Amino acid sequence: MSMQPHRWTPPPATPRARETRSTPEMPALRLLELPGRGPEDVVVAADGRLLTGIDDGAILAVDPATGAVEQIAHTGGRPLGLHVESDGALLICDAERGLLRLDKPGGTIEVLVAEVDGAALNFTSNVVADGDGTIYFSESSRRWPLKQWMGDIMEHSGTGRLLRRNPDGTVETLVDGLDFANGVVLAPDRSCVLVAETGAYRVTRYRLSGPQAGTCDRLVENLPGFPDNMLLGSDGLVWVSLAAPRNPLLDTLLPLPGILRQISWAIPERLQPKPARTVWAMAFDFDGALVHDLQREGTDYGMVTAAAEHDGALYLGSLSESAIAVTQVP
């Protein structure tokens, strides 16, 4: 695909973006090995097992104590973001097939949304649901597919969006023009829904109630890395995975004429700069205050795209690894 770069001046990276570990450092990791790569999102089911989807289309349930793995479904596509509904059903954002629902382990997969406004969903990313049947989900890019996700980051296309599927099945776009829309979190009081903008280093808040209902602002800006999936922890905090630290070369290229990024994109992939490996997660409250900042060097794990906190344990997913990583919140 030909690149059509959009110029953007990112905020200056903070000193934190250049550090490789937090203080205190993220505790040591324990790995739960999987029969495939890319557990891009991780959620905790009612029975305590971890649910994830891998790159061959399988949905897996993993016992965090024993590491036992069971395949409970296969989407026929590439599952990314997940959400467990109150009745035990599993919502699945499949990058290739759209928004899906698995009624029970080993059960039937239903396609809830495959297209919006007459156009097929291109890159369905992350999802959360309200108890009344309302579903909020993101589409990262309307131009670039998952396999070329870096193309959207470099192009800065601004074609991501936050969508809402209403209980009657109708779908509406709540926010358009997002820079690689990714993780989605619904506030416990239903006052707002949050969406991570990976390509803009920020978390955007869409107000659902109150005098500012229907408007957007920023919960967190100028993050030191690329935010990916977000999850509401059992501690009531918004846990944000950071897939990689800010890239100084990319930050330099984004404000410059687009031809420079077109040239960079034309270089063979094996010669292009790779995201720096790190293991990183942050947690914020709903006022945007940083509560936890946990990072360690990416020697044994990297490309963290999910951070699910449950009763003090922190479960990490990755777009590139073949395991779920487990650590503790200090």
Side-chain angles (χ1 to χ4, degrees), residues 11 15 39 54-55 63 68 90 99 101 114 138 144 152 185 220 232 284 296 298:
I54 56 177
D55 64 0
D63 186 324
L90 181 68
L99 178 64
R101 177 187 278 133
S138 61
W144 297 87
D152 193 272
V185 165
V220 183
L232 182 66
F284 298 86
R296 62 186 297 114

Side-chain angles (χ1 to χ4, degrees), residues 39-57:
E40 197 267 349
D41 197 14
V42 180
V43 295
V44 182
D47 64 3
R49 292 193 296 176
L50 310 177
L51 305 182
T52 191
I54 56 177
D55 64 0
D56 68 356

Side-chain angles (χ1 to χ4, degrees), residues 58-299:
I59 302 293
L60 306 176
V62 184
D63 186 324
T66 67
V69 179
E70 177 190 2
Q71 180 174 319
I72 61 171
H74 195 288
T75 69
R78 193 354 174 159
L80 297 177
L82 307 174
H83 176 80
V84 179
E85 294 193 282
S86 57
D87 63 357
L90 181 68
L91 295 175
I92 305 165
C93 277
D94 190 291
E96 299 170 3
R97 299 191 61 203
L99 178 64
L100 316 178
R101 177 187 278 133
L102 173 67
D103 60 348
K104 59 184 178 181
T108 301
I109 289 182
E110 174 189 4
V111 179
L112 297 182
V113 184
E115 62 178 44
V116 175
D117 298 332
L121 287 167
N122 179 65
F123 188 162
T124 322
S125 189
N126 200 245
V127 60
V128 70
D130 200 343
D132 65 357
T134 304
I135 300 171
Y136 301 91
F137 65 104
S138 61
E139 183 179 25
S140 292
S141 173
R142 298 210 287 281
R143 279 186 39 78
W144 297 87
L146 172 63
K147 291 181 179 179
Q148 292 182 298
W149 62 268
M150 186 55 118
D152 193 272
I153 297 294
M154 289 188 66
E155 182 180 86
H156 204 76
S157 78
T159 59
R161 53 183 170 171
L162 175 66
L163 301 144
R164 176 167 61 194
R165 183 186 187 270
N166 299 305
D168 63 3
T170 59
V171 179
E172 57 187 315
T173 299
L174 297 183
V175 189
D176 206 342
L178 297 174
D179 292 308
F180 205 98
N182 211 322
V184 182
V185 165
L186 178 65
D189 63 1
R190 276 60 180 171
S191 62
C192 65
V193 61
L194 309 177
V195 57
E197 290 189 75
T198 305
Y201 319 126
R202 66 193 179 203
V203 177
T204 291
R205 172 171 49 195
Y206 179 83
R207 307 270 187 176
L208 295 170
S209 62
Q212 294 177 296
T215 65
C216 283
D217 60 5
R218 313 298 182 201
L219 182 77
V220 183
E221 291 192 273
N222 200 15
L223 284 163
F226 294 90
D228 206 285
N229 287 320
M230 303 191 300
L231 287 161
L232 182 66
S234 64
D235 53 12
L237 299 175
V238 180
W239 282 88
V240 183
S241 60
L242 297 179
R246 295 267 292 264
N247 183 297
L249 176 59
L250 178 63
D251 279 356
T252 299
L253 289 174
L254 283 168
L256 299 178
I259 185 65
L260 298 174
R261 278 176 282 158
Q262 290 174 329
I263 293 171
S264 298
W265 186 246
I267 296 172
E269 185 177 356
R270 68 181 185 279
L271 301 177
Q272 293 178 10
K274 301 294 189 293
R277 285 179 61 86
T278 189
V279 184
W280 203 350
M282 289 180 162
F284 298 86
D285 65 22
F286 279 88
D287 292 321
L290 178 64
V291 180
H292 296 290
D293 178 0
L294 301 175
Q295 185 187 20
R296 62 186 297 114
E297 294 179 348
T299 52

